[in-house]
Amino acid sequence: GQCLMGFTFYARNSDILYYFTYVEGNVKLFSIYSAVLLIPGIFGAASYPLVFKFTHNKGWASAFFAIGTGVSIIAFYWFSMSDNPVAFCVIAGISWFFLCGHNSGIYAMIPDCVEYGELKTGVRNDGFLYSLSSLSNKIGMALGSSLVASVLGAAGYVANQQQNETVLTVMKLFFSVIPGAVWLLMALAYLFYRLDKRKYAQILIELKNKKSGADS
């Protein structure tokens, strides 16, 4: 999940200035786009506990936000900020709401895995799991950035010039459909997350009993 999240986030971020510079034709629109994201992101992050309370499963809650992120990002393909700024900004706000909600949840799952791992192996690997999460994210960042550069180069990108139609299409796809599809793939993976609220509570009880037995 972390690797795919890093991949989509940085593939899109690597492409985003290209997108506004060449596809929209006005890099200054990026500032407006960025400003639109602020408030929806705050509400998105704050809404994760409510969704988790409803699903009782952090994976399913994350899947909900990943689906919303994926669908809304894909929707960018049919809208232009230059031609339809209101619709574009609404989609931007919705996508960032779901993305920030997802980011709140992905890190909330790591402690669950720590407890589960301790129950199964007897070893508590907090540091290892957090480090692995960070490493996976960085691998995704590197892959995303290099992929964008490679594909744009192959399509004929030339800096500071009018781009050909193939390059513009690639930029548009990396801004919308490609990262959106990967978000939907992540959502599918989250649906297999089995540590729901009841199972997590049972894990804590079993760990407590094990520790009590070891101390006695």
Side-chain angles (χ1 to χ4, degrees):
Q2 287 286 352
C3 187
L4 286 175
M5 184 174 71
F7 173 84
T8 57
F9 189 77
Y10 285 93
R12 194 163 186 270
N13 276 6
S14 297
D15 179 67
I16 198 166
L17 288 179
Y18 291 130
Y19 175 83
F20 281 102
T21 301
Y22 298 109
V23 179
E24 294 287 356
N26 185 355
V27 72
K28 293 180 180 179
L29 293 176
F30 173 70
S31 298
I32 300 174
Y33 167 81
S34 300
V36 167
L37 306 180
L38 181 61
I39 294 178
I42 294 172
F43 281 102
S47 68
Y48 178 84
L50 299 176
V51 177
F52 171 60
K53 186 176 180 180
F54 177 77
T55 63
H56 302 291
N57 185 307
K58 293 177 183 177
W60 294 359
S62 294
F64 168 79
F65 285 102
I67 290 171
T69 304
V71 171
S72 55
I73 287 178
I74 290 173
F76 277 121
Y77 186 81
W78 290 278
F79 293 91
S80 165
M81 193 169 188
S82 301
D83 297 334
N84 198 337
V86 174
F88 190 94
C89 288
V90 168
I91 294 170
I94 292 172
S95 68
W96 202 248
F97 170 88
F98 282 109
L99 188 148
C100 289
H102 167 272
N103 288 353
S104 296
I106 189 75
Y107 293 104
M109 287 192 281
I110 296 177
D112 292 7
C113 298
V114 170
E115 307 289 359
Y116 179 80
E118 183 180 5
L119 179 65
K120 294 299 181 181
T121 66
V123 179
R124 189 174 183 86
N125 284 315
D126 307 59
F128 172 76
L129 287 177
Y130 280 103
S131 298
L132 182 62
S133 173
S134 177
L135 176 63
S136 298
N137 198 23
K138 289 176 181 177
I139 291 173
M141 291 163 49
L143 291 174
S145 300
S146 61
L147 179 63
V148 170
S150 298
V151 175
L152 285 177
Y157 169 76
V158 180
N160 303 318
Q161 294 187 22
Q162 179 63 40
Q163 307 301 323
N164 63 52
E165 286 301 318
T166 301
V167 171
L168 294 177
T169 299
V170 168
M171 290 176 178
K172 195 171 181 180
L173 289 172
F174 269 115
F175 184 75
S176 56
V177 176
I178 293 173
V182 178
W183 275 102
L184 295 179
L185 181 62
M186 282 196 295
L188 179 63
Y190 289 139
L191 293 176
F192 292 94
Y193 189 80
R194 297 183 178 181
L195 289 181
D196 58 22
K197 197 171 183 179
R198 181 183 61 80
K199 290 181 180 177
Y200 181 67
Q202 184 61 37
I203 287 172
L204 294 180
I205 292 172
E206 291 182 31
L207 281 174
K208 183 178 180 180
N209 291 339
K210 277 190 173 183
K211 290 176 182 178
S212 298
D215 293 338
S216 59

